[in-house]
Amino acid sequence: MAANVMDTLRERGFIKQTVFEGELYEKLGRESVAFYIGFDPTADSLHVGHFMQLIAMHHMQQAGHRPIVLIGGGTGMVGDPSCRTDMRTMMTRETVQHNVECFKKQMSRFIDFEGENAAIVVDNADWLLNLNYVDFLREIGAHFSVNRMLTAECFKQRLERGLSFLEFNYMLMQAYDFLVLYRKYGCSLELGGDDQWSNILAGANLIRIKEQQPAFAMTFTLLTTSDGKKMGKTAKGAVWLDENKTSPYEFYQYWRNTADEDVEKCMKLLTFLPLEEIGELCRYRDERINHAKEVLAYELTKEVHGEEKANLARSQAQAAFGGSDAELPVKEAEGAATVVDAMVAAGIAKSKGEARRLIEQGGVSVNDDKVTDVNMPVPAEEFVLHKGKKVHVKIIVR
């Protein structure tokens, strides 16, 4: 066994809450522990919101513990009410399976699915979809107090807007997942974001009641900016790990534009750089922090897309900014419907005729793609426009 992984996670700023902490620390230092993290298969790619879970799984596996990736094929058909204001669309088994294959490919950059303490993927649809409802209520529901459930943070916001009975079952189902994984794989630890604390704790308590055995819960700090906003969102939506949804260049630029005060936290949580090196990189909060941002952007792009694409993204950024990938200047394009409109509205071209000529001459790119159609609509509310080799701006369409 390697050094206790809880020390690593605590030093890097992961841990928010645990239960039976001393007992868990001793167990993680003494033996290989099977643990799980749940992922809802609601898209065909993971996004930055999943990033911390992937890094945490890597740290855990490197320390000798066994990851179980739980895909919520069953719970995903109900929807987790945590921090949501609407009900989510239900999915078919075929959609779930396709998304699982996409997840596994992305996860394999962070965790091993072969060899000693190999990670496994399981789908809770396998045991949830054929449950006998009366048996489930008798075995599981009897151990849940409705009064206590209603005080859980995950239900409070939804209660004000209306909480369906369908969603109210989610906590029982997630707790049951933990019990099933304990019985099938000896899984005694669930990890997740801090917004999942009530659900995770419910599962650990259920195992202790039903099996009379120790079970543990640990949550992580949510990945937020210094002003409390969730990271991984842009004007055009989520920052995806799939390069077809968010290109390596866009991914690199997202992290390059991290606020000064968030760089050190992101480095500790999302890279594998030694803490001493991170401390040295982030010592200064003047213009020298820009080098730390470049390192952060490069390391994360390398983790997700590989060294070759990280090198390309970095070189594109450096070419765009004359050898220094500084932050992109921002231009607004009021009411622009096409790229030509945006170029004129943002002052990049003096007229639509000039904008069209530039496009026809091959001198205009949007994000990483050359524009060939003079009637091309704007691709999103926010995009990067390149004119020739010297003009590179972020366009925001209002």
Side-chain angles (χ1 to χ4, degrees), residues 248-364:
Y249 177 78
E250 289 175 300
F251 190 83
Y252 180 97
Q253 280 300 141
Y254 175 81
W255 296 107
R256 175 59 188 80
N257 292 334
T258 300
D260 293 1
E261 57 269 26
D262 295 324
V263 175
E264 186 170 8
K265 176 176 74 173
C266 289
M267 277 193 163
K268 287 180 177 179
L269 291 172
L270 303 177
T271 78
F272 302 112
L273 295 173
L275 292 175
E276 299 78 19
E277 185 177 340
I278 293 171
E280 189 61 34
L281 283 165
C282 300
R283 264 177 70 192
Y284 305 102
R285 294 304 166 98
D286 51 22
E287 69 280 354
R288 285 170 285 190
I289 195 70
N290 286 323
H291 175 59
K293 293 183 184 183
E294 292 163 15
V295 173
L296 173 68
Y298 178 78
E299 289 295 324
L300 298 192
T301 308
K302 184 172 71 171
E303 285 173 18
V304 173
H305 297 295
E307 191 169 358
E308 185 178 338
K309 288 176 181 173
N311 287 337
L312 179 59
R314 181 170 62 184
S315 64
Q316 285 175 328
Q318 289 173 341
F321 305 111
S324 173
D325 56 334
E327 294 185 26
L328 286 167
V330 175
K331 300 277 188 181
E332 292 192 5
E334 190 84 35
T338 66
V339 172
V340 166
D341 293 338
M343 290 174 68
V344 176
I348 294 165
K350 293 177 182 175
S351 66
K352 289 186 178 182
E354 180 185 331
R356 290 190 190 99
R357 281 194 300 277
L358 285 165
I359 289 172
E360 288 166 351
Q361 291 164 5
V364 178

Side-chain angles (χ1 to χ4, degrees), residues 198-235:
S198 300
N199 293 333
I200 295 173
L201 194 56
N205 288 338
L206 184 63
I207 291 170
R208 286 174 177 261
I209 292 168
K210 297 291 293 182
E211 304 296 312
Q212 299 292 302
Q213 293 295 327
F216 303 93
M218 185 192 298
T219 61
F220 303 133
T221 308
L222 297 179
L223 189 61
T224 58
T225 60
S226 54
D227 58 1
K229 293 178 183 174
K230 275 192 178 182
M231 296 190 80
K233 293 283 187 184
T234 67

